Amino acid sequence: QVQLVESGGGLVQSGGSLRLSCAASGITFSLNAMGWYRQAPGKQRELVSTIARDGTTNYADSVKGRFTISRDNAKNTVYLQMNSLKPEDTAVYYCHSRMVFSGKEYWGQGTQVTVSS
């Protein structure tokens, strides 16, 4: 059974930091591209950041320079370090995996991030 379990969300003041974690099980983690997406109330889910098997990263323009994605293949975990948070970063953040060879995708349940002004 595949599970992507996010943690680290919460309430933080504008300018603060949070670190999200996503622990994966049931997949061969090293064969998956991993990513973070977010969905704010009334809006569509959007890409935040991805990290490929070789560590290549990609960021949405809105988070470049503030967020950093990383992965630890030994721990089957992907992280999202979020600094200089803004109220517009408020959303449910979802972990995503995509198996490179089959394209099979999985989603976590999401973790709420709320940034107060």
Side-chain angles (χ1 to χ4, degrees), residues 1-61:
Q1 180 183 0
V2 176
Q3 282 192 309
L4 301 178
V5 180
E6 302 100 334
S7 61
L11 174 64
V12 64
Q13 288 189 331
S14 182
S17 298
L18 285 174
R19 188 195 195 203
L20 304 184
S21 299
C22 171
S25 59
I27 60 173
T28 305
F29 187 79
S30 61
L31 297 182
N32 280 262
M34 302 298 296
W36 290 94
Y37 290 71
R38 67 186 181 187
Q39 187 166 19
K43 295 188 177 181
Q44 289 190 326
R45 191 172 296 189
E46 64 176 4
L47 171 71
V48 176
S49 181
T50 61
I51 184 165
R53 294 173 61 204
D54 64 359
T56 301
T57 58
N58 178 53
Y59 297 93
D61 287 344

Side-chain angles (χ1 to χ4, degrees), residues 52-87:
R53 294 173 61 204
D54 64 359
T56 301
T57 58
N58 178 53
Y59 297 93
D61 287 344
S62 59
V63 307
K64 278 181 183 175
R66 300 187 298 122
F67 291 10
T68 303
I69 191 170
S70 61
R71 63 189 295 161
D72 185 336
N73 288 345
K75 294 183 178 180
N76 288 359
T77 301
V78 60
Y79 305 96
L80 185 69
Q81 178 66 45
M82 306 186 294
N83 298 328
S84 302
L85 283 161
K86 305 174 182 180

